[in-house]
C-alpha cells in the first residue's frame, strides 16, 4: 500500500491545485472517453465560488506532493439533509494501492459526522453503447456495500446533424396541440413575473422524475433560491439559457427547460432541468420547449456543436422527446447508494 495523506484542496496552494486538476484530467481521459468532456474551468471556479445551499468539500490523496486521487463531497443544507453525494477518482497508474478505498472511507466518515444517513454517487459505466468508457467502479462500490439504485442513459445531440425541416414539422405539429399557451425565452435570472413558477417547477423535479430506489426526497426551492443559483452561475461564467411555456389564461408557468453553457467551452454544453407541470401535460409542451431552447442556443452560441443530457432509463416519455429533436444514445450511468449507520 502506497503511503499518502488525505488533505483538503486549498485554493491558495498552486502546486496542489495543478496536481488535483491533472488527476481529474487523467481519470477523464482514461475512463470516460466518448462522454461529455471534463471542464477544468468549472473545477477551478468551484474552488472559489461557493454554492449558496450545498457545501462542496474537495479532498485529495497526496504522496510526495502529487495528487494520486480525489474526492468531491456534496452536502446540501437546504433540503435532503439526510443525503451526501460524492465523486471519487484515482489516477490510472495509482490504482490497486488502497487510494480509492481510503477516499471512499473518508467520504463515508465525513457524511456520518454530518448526520447523513444515505450516501450516493452517479457513475458512468461501461456499456456496448459507449465502447470507449473503460472506468468501471461499479464492482468496487458493490464490494463496499453499495447498491444500484437508479439506471440512467446519457444522450447527445449533435446540432449540425439535426435537419431544420424535421424541427419545423415537429414545431408546427406541437403548437397545433398547445392552444392557450405562449412561449417565453430568457437567460440568467428569470423575469420577476415568472420566477415563482420557475422555482416551483425546479422543486417538482425532485418528485416528478423517476428515481428508482435513489433516496432523493422533496426539494425546497423558492424564488430566492433561483436568484442565488443564477448569481453563482454568473460568478462561475456559466450561461443558463431558458425557455418556458406559460398558460395564458392563468399566467402560470406550465413548463421549463434550460441549457448550461460552461465558461470557455464553445463545443459542448449541458441540458439542465426539463419539466412540464402535470396539470398542463398532453399539449406537446415538452417538444416545444426543447426545440425553442435548442434554437435559442444556436442563435446565442453559433459555434456550439453538442448538447448532453441524461435521463432515467424508465423515463420513456422524455427520452422519446429527446430522440425526436436529435439526441442519440451515448452511454449509461448508474446511481450507487449505501445506507449509513
Amino acid at each position: 500500500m502506497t503511503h499518502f495523506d488525505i488533505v483538503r484542496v486549498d485554493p491558495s496552494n498552486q502546486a496542489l491545485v495543478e496536481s488535483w486538476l491533472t488527476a481529474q484530467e487523467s481519470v477523464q481521459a482514461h475512463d470516460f472517453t466518448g462522454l461529455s468532456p471534463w471542464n477544468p474551468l468549472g473545477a477551478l471556479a468551484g474552488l472559489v465560488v461557493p454554492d449558496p445551499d450545498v457545501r462542496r468539500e474537495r479532498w485529495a490523496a497526496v504522496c510526495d506532493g502529487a495528487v494520486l486521487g480525489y474526492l468531491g463531497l456534496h452536502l446540501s443544507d437546504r433540503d435532503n439533509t439526510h443525503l451526501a453525494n460524492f465523486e471519487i477518482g484515482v489516477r490510472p497508474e495509482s490504482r490497486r494501492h488502497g487510494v480509492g478505498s481510503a477516499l471512499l472511507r473518508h467520504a463515508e466518515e465525513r457524511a456520518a459526522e454530518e448526520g447523513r444517513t444515505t450516501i450516493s454517487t452517479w457513475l458512468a459505466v461501461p456499456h456496448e453503447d459507449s465502447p470507449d468508457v473503460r472506468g468501471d467502479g461499479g464492482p468496487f462500490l458493490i464490494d463496499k456495500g453499495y447498491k444500484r439504485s437508479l439506471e440512467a442513459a446519457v444522450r447527445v445531440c449533435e446540432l449540425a446533424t439535426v435537419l431544420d425541416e424535421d424541427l419545423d414539422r415537429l414545431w408546427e405539429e406541437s403548437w397545433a396541440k398547445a392552444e392557450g399557451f405562449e412561449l417565453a425565452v430568457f437567460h440568467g435570472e428569470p423575469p420577476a413575473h415568472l420566477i415563482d413558477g420557475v422555482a416551483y417547477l425546479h422543486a417538482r423535479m425532485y418528485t416528478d422524475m423517476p428515481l428508482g430506489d435513489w433516496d432523493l426526497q422533496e426539494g425546497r426551492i423558492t424564488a430566492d433560491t433561483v436568484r442565488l443559483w443564477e448569481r453563482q452561475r454568473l460568478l462561475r461564467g456559466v450561461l443558463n439559457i431558458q425557455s418556458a411555456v406559460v398558460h395564458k389564461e392563468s399566467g402560470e408557468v406550465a413548463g421549463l427547460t434550460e441549457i448550461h453553457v460552461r465558461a470557455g467551452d464553445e463545443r459542448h454544453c449541458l441540458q439542465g432541468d426539463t419539466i412540464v407541470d402535470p396539470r398542463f401535460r398532453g399539449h406537446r409542451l415538452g417538444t416545444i420547449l426543447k426545440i425553442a431552447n435548442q434554437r435559442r442556443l444556436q442563435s446565442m452560441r453559433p459555434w456550439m456543436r453538442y448538447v448532453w443530457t441524461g435521463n432515467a432509463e424508465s423515463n420513456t416519455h422524455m427520452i422519446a422527446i429527446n430522440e425526436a429533436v436529435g439526441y442519440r444514445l451515448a452511454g449509461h450511468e448508474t446511481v450507487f447508494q449505501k445506507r449509513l449507520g
Side-chain angles (χ1 to χ4, degrees):
M1 180 175 176
T2 303
H3 173 73
F4 54 85
D5 297 307
I6 296 178
V7 302
R8 281 278 187 113
V9 178
D10 180 358
S12 67
N13 186 333
Q14 182 177 349
L16 176 62
V17 170
E18 287 186 1
S19 186
W20 173 72
L21 290 171
T22 302
Q24 293 176 71
E25 186 177 19
S26 70
V27 169
Q28 173 71 37
H30 183 272
D31 290 354
F32 304 119
T33 300
L35 298 179
S36 176
W38 174 71
N39 184 292
L41 288 179
L44 276 172
L47 277 177
V48 295
V49 181
D51 279 286
D53 45 22
V54 179
R55 282 175 290 137
R56 298 184 185 269
E57 299 182 358
R58 296 162 180 86
W59 300 86
V62 180
C63 176
D64 296 330
V67 174
L68 309 182
Y70 54 88
L71 161 68
L73 186 66
H74 311 155
L75 303 163
S76 174
D77 291 322
R78 185 193 68 242
D79 51 43
N80 283 276
T81 55
H82 69 292
L83 179 64
N85 294 301
F86 71 92
E87 69 269 348
I88 283 175
V90 178
R91 289 179 184 263
E93 66 272 19
S94 299
R95 294 172 185 176
R96 309 295 180 186
H97 295 289
V99 179
S101 294
L103 289 168
L104 183 61
R105 184 166 56 251
H106 188 76
E108 293 177 0
E109 289 173 353
R110 283 290 302 121
E113 289 170 359
E114 292 288 332
R116 310 295 159 132
T117 56
T118 302
I119 188 168
S120 67
T121 186
W122 284 81
L123 184 65
V125 294
H127 195 275
E128 61 184 11
D129 296 318
S130 47
D132 295 325
V133 173
R134 295 194 288 171
D136 192 4
F140 165 75
L141 291 169
I142 289 172
D143 185 60
K144 300 294 185 181
Y146 287 75
K147 295 182 178 179
R148 303 174 78 103
S149 60
L150 179 64
E151 302 297 332
V154 178
R155 285 176 169 78
V156 60
C157 178
E158 187 173 359
L159 294 167
T161 67
V162 181
L163 299 178
D164 284 337
E165 52 264 37
D166 290 342
L167 292 186
D168 288 341
R169 175 181 50 81
L170 281 171
W171 182 258
E172 293 174 4
E173 291 174 355
S174 298
W175 273 113
K177 297 180 178 294
E179 185 179 353
F181 296 90
E182 61 185 358
L183 184 69
V185 294
F186 49 93
H187 59 273
E189 184 177 313
H193 68 288
L194 299 179
I195 194 167
D196 287 323
V198 168
Y200 169 76
L201 288 178
H202 279 302
R204 287 207 68 103
M205 285 292 299
Y206 287 68
T207 52
D208 285 19
M209 67 178 182
L211 296 175
D213 295 321
W214 188 25
D215 189 17
L216 186 68
Q217 299 176 8
E218 185 176 354
R220 292 200 299 269
I221 299 171
T222 66
D224 284 340
T225 309
V226 174
R227 293 187 185 98
L228 287 171
W229 286 350
E230 292 305 328
R231 173 63 178 170
Q232 178 202 54
R233 291 188 180 109
L234 177 66
L235 294 175
R236 291 187 176 185
V238 176
L239 173 66
N240 187 19
I241 300 172
Q242 300 158 82
S243 293
V245 282
V246 178
H247 184 238
K248 290 193 285 189
E249 182 179 350
S250 65
E252 294 190 65
V253 181
L256 171 74
T257 192
E258 53 186 7
I259 291 175
H260 302 156
V261 179
R262 301 171 295 188
D265 198 337
E266 293 294 337
R267 287 176 60 82
H268 298 265
C269 60
L270 307 175
Q271 173 69 50
D273 287 350
T274 299
I275 187 169
V276 173
D277 190 316
R279 295 173 296 167
F280 300 112
R281 290 177 185 168
H283 298 280
R284 303 285 294 274
L285 301 183
T287 302
I288 289 170
L289 287 166
K290 287 281 188 170
I291 295 173
N293 223 37
Q294 201 161 295
R295 286 179 160 170
R296 183 163 168 79
L297 167 69
Q298 291 176 289
S299 70
M300 296 182 69
R301 290 291 189 271
W303 294 106
M304 189 61 64
R305 185 161 184 181
Y306 301 100
V307 187
W308 293 85
T309 191
N311 303 101
E313 291 183 355
S314 59
N315 194 354
T316 55
H317 179 69
M318 186 55 65
I319 288 171
I321 293 173
N322 285 335
E323 292 185 341
V325 300
Y327 285 80
R328 60 170 177 82
L329 191 60
H332 291 259
E333 294 179 321
T334 297
V335 176
F336 291 91
Q337 178 175 275
K338 181 178 181 180
R339 306 283 183 173
L340 300 175

